[in-house]
Amino acid sequence: MGFNSAQLQAIAHKDGPCMVLAGPGSGKTTVITRRIEYLIKKHKVNPEEILVITFSKAASKEMKSRFQALWGNGNVPVTFGTFHGIYYGILKWAYKLTSDNIFSDEQKYGLLQRVVERMNLDIDDEKEFLQGIASEISNIKNNQIPLTEYQSMNCEEKTFFGIYHAYEEERKRQRKIDFDDMLVLTKELFHKRPDILEMWQKKYKYILIDEFQDINKVQYDVIRMLAAPENNLFIVGDDDQSIYQFRGGRPEIMLNFPTDYPDTKRILLDVNYRSTKSIVNGASRIIGHNLKRFHKDIVTQNEQGVNVHVQEVRHPIEESKYVISEIQKALKAGVQPTEIAVLFRTNQEARTLVETCMEYSMPYYMKEHFPNLYEHFIAKNLIAYMKMALGERSRKIFLEIMNRPNRYIGRDSLEHGEVSFEELRKFYQDKDWMLDRIDQLEVDFRIIKRCAPYAAIQYIRKHIGYNDFLKEYAIKRRIKLDELQDILKEIEERAREYKTIEEWFAHIEEYTEQLRRQAEYQEPSAKSISLMTMHGAKGLEFHTVFIIGANEDICPYKKAETQEEIEEERRLFYVAMTRAKKRLVISYSKERNGKKMRQSRFVGELLNLKRDY
């Protein structure tokens, strides 16, 4: 293939720092592989002195495969790897580590689970809590944040410090390192042992890094040491596609790279070979509202193409049916299912769509794990109330709701595996006020039994007092009440179309089984459309892309409050838009779970509408 002048400049660069700003669809992988070839063939660089770093094993494997296909004859000893893989190799050499010293994610979560259990914390969604804590531990290590300055988002500071210290003590006692330690310990090793650092500096004289915009502080600190003194650091990335701040990625590192290396050669790959003019121009209009970025004028020689379509719908159910109908039209027009993707900000926006796919027998593939709405503790509580109403009497089910809201029923009153209201009355026979509560609960169950699911949920919320329980729960757990209310309202709205509790339970069972089967699929089939988060779509491309849930509080996400956070959300929307090659459809709803919704500011920026947000 032919190369444009910017690509040729990047390929031919030899010594010193170079920053390649690679816009979407600009051929950056080709540039990296061609530069490796150029270094070896033109400049006679020893392949063993070239290090190529990516952010995932899959990307590393793909890069290596592309280079080997280009080279053609035999294996060339260029090193391809991830940050973790390369740094682990250095530690392995220095400390004689083996795989037994590595904490897998499963082991890490297992240890955290044991730590939390020892602390006797009152947690409802343990999986979500552990994920949050694990993410925070990673953030502290990756960005070298002093623990005393850190404020946990998942629990009180004292509790978090206790978990962190217990986790670290046990990890060290077992002589294990987790994936984040690989980065931290490599930095410490290079500081302590300049002789070891010098050895690795001599080994890797040319360093190429892909997706540099996603780098974190520790990764960058080590790379700077490793690249010295020649600083043959060739970084490729796009600050406009930096979307992993929640994982520790720091876009400012790329923005400040020319300051750290004043002699940096800067090259802009500004030709998009992927998308139509309509898509490129629309995406550029939106990302141009970000202030902290390298200015770029991305162009394309592709056709104008159809306009980016913006669709307003009444609510998510209508939105999902609209998207499915448009997909069916695209399939009839000859677009392959694997060339169609529906993107969303969080998995929550996809729940209605998944149910609609099931309803219309539309095969789909989900790249990421999809949490089951009905496994949320709120859903479990509502289901438990209804099971008790239908005659279930297991102790396990009763425990879920006996004090939600608080009725002051003690566990010691439940001696057997089955719950008996007569035995409860005997246990509290000397407390009239408790007898009244038990009588009322039995009445509540009789009323719920006669209700349709929607009415039953209304009764549990308002008459039994579940709304008040959630308010207390949110205060105690330091969770925003509206997040819990959104979950509750979504469950309630889903239940509206079912006439009986049994019918609703049957749907939940079918839906759960469908998700279980879906989780087993490793690869999409030729008949499947793709459903994925905007984060999960990074690096991919499709003929036709639908972006759903383009509303304020969804995208940008409601937790994004600062200018910096809004800019990251805008970058995420930009990434989603630029996955489309030929057709892009963006939809937003006027209401969601009974609440009025506004279109996303990003839709306003696309359409050049002036509004205050």
Side-chain angles (χ1 to χ4, degrees), residues 53-66:
I53 302 179
T54 61
F55 278 81
S56 71
K57 286 182 180 178
S60 180
K61 188 177 178 182
E62 168 72 9
M63 189 74 74
K64 184 175 183 178
S65 173
R66 292 274 290 270

Side-chain angles (χ1 to χ4, degrees), residues 49-260:
E49 297 177 347
I50 300 174
L51 172 62
V52 185
I53 302 179
T54 61
F55 278 81
S56 71
K57 286 182 180 178
S60 180
K61 188 177 178 182
E62 168 72 9
M63 189 74 74
K64 184 175 183 178
S65 173
R66 292 274 290 270
F67 173 70
Q68 294 292 3
L70 173 65
W71 191 264
N73 53 347
N75 190 42
V76 185
V78 173
T79 301
F80 293 86
T82 63
F83 279 104
H84 289 93
I86 299 300
Y87 293 2
Y88 171 61
I90 292 170
L91 292 174
K92 187 178 178 181
W93 177 89
Y95 297 125
K96 305 296 184 287
L97 298 178
T98 69
S99 57
D100 291 338
N101 297 114
I102 304 301
F103 239 178
S104 67
D105 279 341
E106 188 178 345
Q107 290 171 319
K108 179 178 180 177
Y109 279 101
L111 173 54
L112 283 172
Q113 185 178 37
R114 292 192 297 275
V115 167
V116 168
E117 283 173 357
R118 284 201 303 266
M119 296 177 75
N120 291 318
L121 300 177
D122 188 10
I123 299 165
D124 286 287
D125 194 332
E126 183 182 68
K127 185 177 179 182
E128 185 178 321
F129 179 77
L130 292 177
Q131 285 175 341
I133 294 295
S135 178
E136 291 192 291
I137 290 172
S138 293
N139 190 22
I140 287 167
K141 292 183 178 182
N142 286 327
N143 290 294
Q144 303 282 270
I145 302 170
L147 193 59
T148 52
E149 295 176 14
Y150 190 78
Q151 186 170 7
S152 174
M153 301 292 290
N154 288 281
C155 54
E156 293 178 354
E157 278 67 44
K158 185 179 177 182
T159 302
F160 179 77
F161 293 163
I163 295 171
Y164 185 93
H165 287 304
Y167 168 77
E168 284 293 281
E169 283 172 16
E170 182 60 22
R171 179 188 64 74
K172 289 172 183 175
R173 191 190 68 76
Q174 295 183 28
R175 293 182 56 78
K176 299 272 191 180
I177 62 172
D178 61 31
F179 288 104
D180 304 306
D181 295 320
M182 292 179 190
L183 311 180
V184 176
L185 293 175
T186 306
K187 180 179 176 180
E188 290 177 0
L189 172 67
F190 283 172
H191 275 303
K192 289 177 191 172
R193 295 288 302 274
D195 56 322
I196 292 178
L197 171 59
E198 185 180 1
M199 186 197 80
W200 288 100
Q201 287 171 334
K202 286 178 179 176
K203 177 170 175 57
Y204 295 128
K205 293 183 178 177
Y206 290 87
I207 301 174
L208 300 85
I209 304 177
D210 189 22
E211 302 286 8
F212 188 80
Q213 75 277 352
D214 296 327
I215 200 166
N216 67 41
K217 186 179 185 302
V218 181
Q219 289 166 342
Y220 185 53
D221 288 345
V222 175
I223 277 299
R224 291 201 70 183
M225 288 190 275
L226 198 57
E230 286 94 346
N231 296 326
N232 293 325
L233 200 48
F234 185 85
I235 67 164
V236 182
D238 182 6
D239 57 301
D240 287 335
Q241 296 186 67
S242 177
I243 58 172
Y244 293 116
Q245 208 151 340
F246 69 97
R247 285 189 198 163
R250 290 291 172 260
E252 64 269 17
I253 292 175
M254 187 168 194
L255 291 170
N256 294 333
F257 189 82
T259 304
D260 293 337

